[in-house]
Amino acid sequence: MRMMNQINNTSLFRWASLLMVVILLSACSTTRNLPDGEVLYTGIRKIAIQNEDSTKAGQAALEEIEAALAYPPNNAIFGSSSLRTPFPFGLWIYNGFVNKKSKFSKWIFNKLAAKPVLISTVSPDVRTKVVQNLLREYGYFNGTASYSVLPDKKDSLKAKVSYQIDMRQPYKIDTVIYTSISPKADSIVRQTLAERAIRPNDNFSVIKLEEERQRLASIMRNKGYYYFRPDFIAYQADTLNYPGRVGLKVISKPGLPATAVRPWHVGNISYSLNGYDGETPTDSILYKDLMIYYEGKLRVRPRILYNRLFFRKGDLYKQSVQEKTQSALNRLSIFRYTDMQYTPKDTSLACDTLNLRINAMYELPLDGELELNVTSKSNNQAGPGAVVSLTRRNLFKGGEVLGITLRGSYEWQTGNRVNGASNSINSYELGLSGTLTFPRIIFPGFQHKIYDYPANTTFKLYADQLNRSRFFKLLAFGGSASYSFQPTASSKHTLVPFRLTYNLLQSTTHEFDSITAANPALYLSLKNQFIPAMSYTYTYDNAMIKEGKNQLWWESSITSAGNILSGINALAGKSFTKGKTILGNPYAQFIKLTSEIRVTHEIDRNQRLAMRLMGGFIYSYGNATIAPYSEQFYIGGANSIRAFTVRSIGPGRFRPNIDNPYSYIDQTGDVKLEANIEYRFRMIENLHGAVFLDAGNIWLLRSDEARPGGLINSANFLNDIALGTGAGIRYDLEFLVLRLDLGIALHTPYETGKNGYYNIPRFKDGLGLHLAIGYPF
């Protein structure tokens, strides 16, 4: 105990000393110990752009220019090159302890000091030369770049840098002439001129010239010219005929090797499969005309390798076929890498055949992962969680992946309701799931078909335990089978022919019972029941294939539950409407449609306009006219109408009892409509801002006495729409986006006692603050 006290006292003394040091250093100079002749860099004063080119090509050039000039000073805010915090703590420590010799001083220096960023380190002269080269590469041959060092008026050893960029008029492409490579190659090039990357009247750009070289080389390689490379293409440029115009001639370099100007065919094909640690093959097997060399034992079925090989002996070499083969092999998740090696069949001058060997190394079969996180969900739930997962790759020697996941979380809900009522709710959730994924479609007639894009069949078993504090405990378990495939790069189909879930309401609380007593529909939606369903989802996303200012994402799905079983019961002579059961328990019947469309319009490199429109519809019939609680719609939260917390609006004009803080749990509906528009803009570096407008609501399809005003009604439709606005900031870390949004309510569909469209009783009650990860849409 005595020793512990001594340790605590020592630690306390250290931290007290450190606090005193910070207080003393706060008045110290940040330039006292700079090297002789050096000046502390305090950021960029401004980047002045003259004759800015607002075209897409001009904005692309400016983006690279600003990246070349960017350099954060000490204590920069969010990596900004111009904004700093007012407390340069690291510099204070540096200047206070750089010459100290004691162990404690060195410890503080090593832990807390920040090395000064000097003007000489930033090298503005070198950066302006880089910018000058960038201007020329983008066709701004008359553009200039310069800089000024601006000393601090209070301290001459501090300075900012000001850059001046004058883009002036870009040179335009006048004519483009393609000269002869070979008669056959010329014909190939002429057939694809509509796809060329350089065109008359475009800005001259070295980047576009390189893009065209790559395109021509790919065209040639897709016609069998395996040895043809981009650097075999050269350009001759003439800027003298017309001022500000560039005449281009696309030529082939002289003296091309004979191997580059003739097509090649594929000869013998083999695999060389190295072990988990790179062990070289020790055995071999011949499957049809494919030789497979392997180490130890063959860990993959030969047919799997053969079906993913799109070359056959005698085929003309094509780069696209090579890429298709590599993609198909990579999607197996069996190999750490794959490499395709081509060698001439013999050394004769007339040889036109390449033998192909595919070298690969096995990925380790087992993978475990522990993930600790803090979640922030669209339903306003936030809290710590953990996920433990175990993955077994290549389970049946065909690329199958078995995954077992155990997850748990504890969450509490934040935020206030517009009416000022309490809105706290805590819960924990435990889940166990097992998935078996096949990298192909498991269905008669399709199991051996290999698609150009990912295609998977997944079987899943799961169980989830949800404990909603002060309300209920619910156990849901079941299984599903699903197919997912992409016929094109932009289109995806997901078919779930079988999904069976059983919801077991294990226990309820007095508070929850009081709610369901007043609203029996809520209890019916949570009662013990099976949910046998099948669904189809179509997704379109052109983000990966379309170059332009507009990106479109659209997803629609249809779900049908209980209809096949109901048909079987009808054939057996049982009632078509009520009383149908599975294993003595009722099952749900409904049809559900959802659709969501998102459009993002790029105004320029720093501004975007994002829009979303989504809707949903669920209709229950047969056994019950109330859809399962998990299938119903709700609105509000960080990814919805951000001025309102989750389940605080709707259905329709329904207003829950403000004396019951838990009554909002039944604010769900059968119809949902939501629209969002968001203006996004760059503030500084990776810090972005947004201004948004959100609108929407949910409604009932059938009257409910416990929720008056919830029925959808065309006469009151516009007034039923909840409306909110707000603003937010986002910090883009490249691998994720941190988002903070402040929503401001403008209109609620129910009566609040305040007249007019803006009917929020108190401004503070109409505020919603959301901290989330990722964009809302």
Side-chain angles (χ1 to χ4, degrees), residues 115 609 701:
K115 187 177 180 181
L609 192 64
L701 287 175

Side-chain angles (χ1 to χ4, degrees), residues 550-563:
N550 295 318
Q551 293 182 353
L552 173 65
W553 182 92
W554 174 47
E555 184 172 277
S556 294
S557 68
I558 179 171
T559 303
S560 173
N563 294 313

Side-chain angles (χ1 to χ4, degrees), residues 300 304-305 308 327-335 393-394 398-401 439-440:
V300 56
I304 297 295
L305 299 176
R308 280 155 183 76
S327 295
L329 290 172
N330 291 337
R331 289 198 298 268
L332 283 174
S333 299
I334 294 177
F335 304 113
R393 299 186 183 91
N394 198 28
E400 304 84 4
V401 177
R440 53 193 176 277

Side-chain angles (χ1 to χ4, degrees), residues 294-565:
Y294 58 94
E295 175 272 333
K297 63 179 181 179
L298 187 58
R299 300 181 177 91
V300 56
R301 298 196 300 275
R303 184 174 187 172
I304 297 295
L305 299 176
Y306 187 83
N307 287 345
R308 280 155 183 76
L309 182 64
F310 296 99
F311 280 125
R312 293 292 180 256
K313 187 174 182 178
D315 285 354
L316 184 70
Y317 169 82
K318 292 183 179 180
Q319 178 176 292
S320 59
V321 176
Q322 172 181 308
E323 293 170 352
K324 183 178 178 180
T325 298
Q326 281 193 301
S327 295
L329 290 172
N330 291 337
R331 289 198 298 268
L332 283 174
S333 299
I334 294 177
F335 304 113
R336 191 171 304 175
Y337 71 85
T338 56
D339 171 60
M340 303 182 75
Q341 181 180 355
Y342 299 86
T343 55
K345 182 180 180 181
D346 55 56
T347 58
S348 66
L349 296 178
C351 178
D352 66 349
T353 301
L354 299 169
N355 290 334
L356 168 61
R357 170 169 287 199
I358 302 175
N359 300 305
M361 178 177 173
Y362 285 111
E363 182 63 274
L364 294 173
L366 289 174
D367 186 19
E369 184 176 345
L370 171 62
E371 177 183 341
L372 302 176
N373 55 59
V374 177
T375 62
S376 176
K377 300 182 178 180
S378 62
N379 64 0
N380 251 39
Q381 294 286 115
V387 179
V388 180
S389 60
L390 179 65
T391 301
R392 173 62 164 90
R393 299 186 183 91
N394 198 28
L395 185 63
F396 304 124
K397 297 185 178 181
E400 304 84 4
V401 177
L402 174 65
I404 298 175
T405 301
L406 174 64
R407 58 184 176 84
S409 65
Y410 181 83
E411 302 171 340
W412 57 88
Q413 180 166 288
T414 60
N416 295 316
R417 296 160 57 81
V418 169
N419 58 23
S422 172
N423 198 26
S424 64
I425 177 172
N426 300 339
S427 69
Y428 70 79
E429 186 174 355
L430 294 173
L432 177 65
S433 65
T435 59
L436 179 60
T437 301
F438 295 80
R440 53 193 176 277
I441 300 299
I442 306 298
F443 195 81
F446 292 88
Q447 61 265 41
H448 301 306
K449 181 175 176 57
I450 307 302
Y451 295 88
D452 293 344
Y453 300 95
N456 299 305
T457 302
T458 301
F459 299 98
K460 181 178 182 179
L461 295 174
Y462 58 90
D464 288 301
Q465 175 74 76
L466 174 64
N467 184 75
R468 191 62 66 94
S469 177
R470 299 187 302 278
F471 290 114
F472 59 83
K473 182 182 289 186
L474 178 70
L475 175 66
F477 57 90
S480 66
S482 63
Y483 299 102
S484 175
F485 60 95
Q486 289 184 236
T488 66
S490 58
S491 295
K492 179 182 178 180
H493 302 273
T494 303
L495 177 65
V496 183
F498 172 79
R499 187 187 75 196
L500 182 63
T501 302
Y502 182 67
N503 288 340
L504 176 62
L505 187 61
Q506 296 172 295
S507 62
T508 61
T509 64
H510 176 72
E511 289 89 346
F512 182 74
D513 292 339
S514 66
I515 297 172
T516 57
N519 185 2
L522 176 61
Y523 176 76
L524 291 175
S525 69
L526 282 164
K527 69 177 182 179
N528 299 347
Q529 62 182 316
F530 283 99
I531 308 175
M534 56 192 304
S535 66
Y536 165 74
T537 301
Y538 172 75
T539 305
Y540 176 83
D541 185 357
N542 69 358
M544 300 298 294
I545 64 170
K546 184 177 176 60
E547 289 189 6
K549 293 191 173 184
N550 295 318
Q551 293 182 353
L552 173 65
W553 182 92
W554 174 47
E555 184 172 277
S556 294
S557 68
I558 179 171
T559 303
S560 173
N563 294 313
I564 293 179
L565 285 175

Side-chain angles (χ1 to χ4, degrees), residues 517-659:
N519 185 2
L522 176 61
Y523 176 76
L524 291 175
S525 69
L526 282 164
K527 69 177 182 179
N528 299 347
Q529 62 182 316
F530 283 99
I531 308 175
M534 56 192 304
S535 66
Y536 165 74
T537 301
Y538 172 75
T539 305
Y540 176 83
D541 185 357
N542 69 358
M544 300 298 294
I545 64 170
K546 184 177 176 60
E547 289 189 6
K549 293 191 173 184
N550 295 318
Q551 293 182 353
L552 173 65
W553 182 92
W554 174 47
E555 184 172 277
S556 294
S557 68
I558 179 171
T559 303
S560 173
N563 294 313
I564 293 179
L565 285 175
S566 180
I568 295 173
N569 283 334
L571 292 175
K574 296 183 179 179
S575 170
F576 187 76
T577 55
K578 295 184 178 180
K580 292 167 289 187
T581 62
I582 306 175
L583 303 176
N585 287 277
Y587 58 84
Q589 278 185 268
F590 61 82
I591 187 78
K592 183 177 183 180
L593 302 173
T594 61
S595 187
E596 179 178 352
I597 186 169
R598 305 174 188 173
V599 178
T600 303
H601 172 69
E602 181 181 322
I603 301 172
D604 58 36
R605 63 196 174 92
N606 293 319
Q607 303 177 88
R608 283 178 171 80
L609 192 64
M611 295 161 281
R612 174 174 67 176
L613 178 64
M614 62 185 302
F617 164 92
I618 185 169
Y619 181 75
S620 299
Y621 50 90
N623 266 357
T625 56
I626 304 298
Y629 191 77
S630 59
E631 299 288 344
Q632 295 182 34
F633 299 108
Y634 59 87
I635 205 162
N639 296 331
S640 183
I641 306 180
R642 284 158 280 186
F644 305 96
T645 57
V646 66
R647 293 186 175 89
S648 63
I649 292 295
R653 288 170 286 115
F654 168 66
R655 183 182 188 182
N657 182 2
I658 61 174
D659 295 328

Side-chain angles (χ1 to χ4, degrees), residues 77-121:
I77 299 176
F78 294 120
S80 170
S81 297
S82 55
L83 297 180
R84 308 168 65 211
T85 64
F87 305 104
F89 182 77
L91 286 177
W92 289 339
I93 297 295
Y94 177 88
N95 282 276
F97 289 88
V98 66
N99 296 318
K100 302 295 183 182
K101 303 299 182 182
S102 69
K103 290 184 178 180
F104 180 62
S105 298
K106 288 182 178 180
W107 177 82
I108 291 180
F109 183 84
N110 292 332
K111 294 292 184 181
L112 303 174
K115 187 177 180 181
V117 178
L118 308 174
I119 292 287
S120 61
T121 304

